Amino acid sequence: MAGGFAKDGAVQDQIDATIEDAISRARGRLPRGESLECCEECDKRIPEARRKAVPGVRLCIACQEQHDKEAATFSGYNRRGSKDSQLR
Ligand SMILES: [Zn+2]
């Protein structure tokens, strides 16, 4: 019985750790809270105006544009792909 109890405790610890991990990861992704003074990617200073305009901003304008471009390229590729299959 004692062994079973210890096992349950270990599983609960694991669940707690997983939940905490998920929460901290979700927090890191949410665009809110404190804005970073320096860009997360290139360490360049983020302009004060941008930090006020975008709460919780983590990237400088250049890096943000790069991210947006990559996202646009990816979704554009998907759109082209589905259009091609519709034409055929
Ligand atoms: Zn940057």
Side-chain angles (χ1 to χ4, degrees), residues 50 57-69:
R50 174 165 169 75
V57 68
R58 309 183 75 83
L59 299 171
C60 71
I61 293 166
C63 289
Q64 185 64 62
E65 276 181 357
Q66 192 59 40
H67 271 241
D68 289 350
K69 228 184 273 175

Side-chain angles (χ1 to χ4, degrees), residues 39-44 59-64:
C39 175
E40 202 171 52
E41 297 234 322
C42 70
D43 269 348
K44 239 161 78 174
L59 299 171
C60 71
I61 293 166
C63 289
Q64 185 64 62

Side-chain angles (χ1 to χ4, degrees), residues 69-79:
K69 228 184 273 175
E70 276 164 23
T73 306
F74 187 69
S75 59
Y77 176 79
N78 281 344
R79 264 204 303 278

Side-chain angles (χ1 to χ4, degrees), residues 8-87:
D8 286 351
V11 169
Q12 188 56 49
D13 280 355
Q14 213 168 38
I15 291 168
D16 287 348
T18 306
I19 291 169
E20 266 175 47
D21 192 42
I23 290 170
S24 62
R25 260 186 298 173
R27 275 198 191 129
R29 223 175 296 147
L30 284 175
R32 59 176 193 167
E34 286 282 305
S35 300
L36 292 184
E37 255 177 72
C38 297
C39 175
E40 202 171 52
E41 297 234 322
C42 70
D43 269 348
K44 239 161 78 174
R45 258 191 90 83
I46 297 168
E48 180 81 32
R50 174 165 169 75
R51 289 167 53 208
K52 278 188 181 158
V54 189
V57 68
R58 309 183 75 83
L59 299 171
C60 71
I61 293 166
C63 289
Q64 185 64 62
E65 276 181 357
Q66 192 59 40
H67 271 241
D68 289 350
K69 228 184 273 175
E70 276 164 23
T73 306
F74 187 69
S75 59
Y77 176 79
N78 281 344
R79 264 204 303 278
R80 262 204 310 279
S82 59
K83 204 178 163 190
D84 276 354
S85 56
Q86 273 172 5
L87 288 171

